[in-house]
Amino acid sequence: MLPHPDPALAAALAADLRAAGYSSRGLREAWGETADDAIARGLRGPALRVLGERRDPLAVLARLLGLGVEQGRDLVDTALPATGSAGLAALGLADLDGRVVRAAALVRPQAFADAHGEGEWWIASDLDEAALGGPLPEDHVLGVGGASLTLAALQVGGPAATGLDVGTGCGIQALRMRRDVDRVVATDVSQRALRFTRLNALLNGVDGIETRHGSLFAPVRHERFDRIATNPPFVITPRVADVPAYEYRDGGREGDALVADVVRGAGEHLAPGGVAQLLGNWETRGGRDGLERVREWVDQSSIPLDAWVVERETLDPLAYAELWIRDGGTLPGTPAYARLVDAWLDDFAGREVTAIGFGYILLRRPADDRPTLSRFERVAGSGEGPLGAHVAAALAAHDRLQRTDDVGLAASGFVVSPDVTEARHHRPGEETPTIIELRQGGGFGRALSVDPALAAVVGASDGDLPLGALVDAVADLLDVDAAALRADVFPRIRELVFTGFLRFAD
């Protein structure tokens, strides 16, 4: 069991890491971009080859804490003058064996950027497959992976009083949330994960994070929060013997029931106006579309909720099984791999599952408990920039549009967002385009085909004239009825404002 982290030792370690230049940039410069990319794919060899026999503090810490490779005790004591190898062991991050220090966990720098600017955290977590040389133990506490980064970037910003991180793991979402939120509660079924969270808060000098033990919302019964973020253990896992049940990804439910429970239960823990965001998997089951099943979960909430659900990808049962079997460290071509594939396929077949969706779920409790947003969509692409700012802007746009009737819309001015471009496709020799496409560089990177009338309205939207005047001018230009064009264009303008192609000029 990881020990309770000692604040003084954690502060000493942070000082030592800072003095050694143990940062994302420092490591990239030490072993190069190629090795850095290889580490992200679980390959340590290129980095170790570049580091060679270097004995400076950065190289020693890179091998021990970054890659999980044992080092000499004298080297570690020199690299960590305030902490020492004994202090590292007391924090549960290393084991001492005579004159050798063996890594018991990883501590890796994690750069980030948000509305407050750029920064970096040190994140301690369990040894990965490369360091272990085999499959992960079932109580493994994951470091910062792709899903963690996705949810962190997806979080809406802005000040709030209270936040909740459900299934905190190493604590990355709690740290991200604390940048905007005064007080954060982080929960997990794993005591080991909670201790990593506390250690990571101490390493990075972050206060205001309270850890509580328990499943999902049980530790916060009867409490409400302005923000909820959760990267829950949503991986669909067969409930049969000999299939590893990793705590960090398997919530112990059948199929997608855990995500359903989170969606149904989140509203009870949201303050009026509060927002919950999570990642999840959902099954297309028995011919019923996965997104429709998520819609049903939202409808089953005891608290009426706004909902915006984005499905980013779908996998067939075999591809899904192979993805998560490899994630656990079992290699293709082995008898264990084939046995696990069969277990997953049998499990899916028993529920008539034909596809598994992955995506983002945003739930909001309206201040008056009367929902106005119900959006369930498939968006495969992704634009540049943080999605959190885009999501927050979309919610604000939705709220303003709800307050704006068509008379108000006609009187409003709009401007084209700076990331939007237009592409026109012509048949050779023809002047009139066959396809006009608007493309979004930020947000979800959407691409929309539009007709000449809407393209003309958008192209003229520079904020100088109100929408009604623009549509009337385009109707006159195209020799069509202005009232009919307004009826056709106004709903589509609302969609362009929500999705970020257009913005209110004021």
Side-chain angles (χ1 to χ4, degrees), residues 14-25:
D16 284 338
L17 295 177
R18 191 175 298 109
Y22 190 71
S23 64
S24 298
R25 180 177 179 179

Side-chain angles (χ1 to χ4, degrees), residues 211-302:
T211 59
R212 299 187 195 174
H213 182 251
S215 177
L216 298 183
F217 300 110
V220 293
R221 191 173 285 112
H222 308 307
E223 294 181 62
R224 293 179 178 177
F225 300 86
D226 301 309
R227 302 273 169 75
I228 297 175
T230 175
N231 180 17
F234 58 74
V235 176
I236 298 166
T237 306
R239 305 260 69 86
V240 297
D242 299 326
V243 174
Y246 297 109
E247 287 183 350
Y248 74 90
R249 71 182 202 190
D250 174 23
R253 310 288 208 281
E254 183 181 84
D256 52 20
L258 182 130
V259 177
D261 287 345
V262 174
V263 172
R264 294 187 191 109
E268 296 178 12
H269 299 282
L270 283 173
V275 173
Q277 293 175 275
L278 64 142
L279 307 182
N281 279 148
W282 41 84
E283 298 175 337
T284 292
R285 181 193 296 179
R288 184 167 174 76
D289 183 86
L291 277 180
E292 286 304 308
R293 295 184 63 244
V294 179
R295 186 192 299 270
E296 185 178 84
W297 302 339
V298 175
D299 291 342
Q300 291 167 349
S301 169
S302 62

